[in-house]
Amino acid sequence: MDISLNGHEARTLGVLVEKAFTTPDQYPLSLNALTNGCNQKSNRAPVTDYSEAEVTVALTGLRHKHLAGASLGAGSRVERWRHNALEGLKVGERALAVLAELLLRGPQAPGELRTRCNRMRSVPSQEDLAQVLAELEGLGMVERIRGGRADRWGQTLCPESGPAAGQLRARRPPCRAWTPRRRVGKAARGAKVPLRRVWTWARQRICWRGQA
């Protein structure tokens, strides 16, 4: 699949697809409603705090990729946005619902993925979900993540939040924690003062602050 999304575009597209399925009476979405949908706390991982300006930039990117478009409703001056993902990605509604759920919440195990997708489009059984995932995998839009208690599935349209990004974070060593001893050690080397004297001074400062 040649389409690649950044994090803002992925969240924005996921919200457009979700709202088209779950609240069709309020769809297409105004910029304000779309921004609120991106930042809502339920059914989102991670929770974001996008501004309308950031969502506007994401919409511009999606429009260039033929995945979103805008229109003015009859008698309205408010521009409303809709997705073109069915045509742009060439998938069916059930597959699009699965893909949107992965865009909104990241990699998931099949059981939880099926449960969450059912609020958008019915996925009657795990066999049906497996068929959809196989279709999306064949199109290069999802990838199986092996390991842990159970395999999970993640989308590959957005490299920033896809399986590869998660594996990279998992391999990255943790940062060394700051400790007073490390800081004192640096001070002693820089000032050429005996470490014991500097450490005594540091403890006195800590005790003084605790009594203040």
Side-chain angles (χ1 to χ4, degrees), residues 3 11 13 19 25 30-31 33 75 90 99 104 109 111 129 136-138 140 144 160 163 171 173 180 193:
I3 294 177
R11 172 60 59 89
L13 179 60
K19 300 304 182 184
D25 55 321
S30 67
L31 177 60
K90 296 180 174 56
L99 193 58
L104 292 172
L129 177 63
L136 291 172
E137 186 178 29
R144 187 194 298 267
E160 295 178 18
R171 292 195 300 266
V193 176

Side-chain angles (χ1 to χ4, degrees), residues 11 18 36 49 53 58-59 97 109 121 131 184 188 195:
R11 172 60 59 89
E18 175 196 52
N36 290 337
D49 187 23
L59 287 168
R121 282 295 179 267
Q131 183 177 356
V184 168
L195 179 59

Side-chain angles (χ1 to χ4, degrees), residues 60-136:
T60 301
L62 291 173
R63 174 183 263 169
H64 288 326
K65 294 167 184 174
H66 307 291
L67 293 176
S71 62
L72 291 175
S76 173
R77 296 183 180 180
V78 178
E79 196 172 43
R80 293 184 173 274
W81 291 86
R82 67 187 185 281
H83 73 82
N84 300 323
L86 289 169
E87 298 82 6
L89 299 178
K90 296 180 174 56
V91 296
E93 289 190 350
R94 185 178 290 174
L96 186 59
V98 171
L99 193 58
E101 189 62 47
L102 293 174
L103 288 171
L104 292 172
R105 299 191 64 140
Q108 300 169 54
E112 59 188 0
L113 179 58
R114 174 175 165 261
T115 299
R116 291 164 178 166
C117 283
N118 276 326
R119 65 193 179 89
M120 288 188 272
R121 282 295 179 267
S122 174
V123 184
S125 67
Q126 289 293 345
E127 289 73 19
D128 292 312
L129 177 63
Q131 183 177 356
V132 172
L133 290 171
E135 173 192 345
L136 291 172

Side-chain angles (χ1 to χ4, degrees), residues 2 18 28 35 61 84 112 119 181 189 192 206-207:
D2 295 332
E18 175 196 52
T35 303
N84 300 323
E112 59 188 0
R119 65 193 179 89
R181 185 177 296 275
R189 289 192 298 270
K192 297 183 179 180
I206 293 171
C207 292

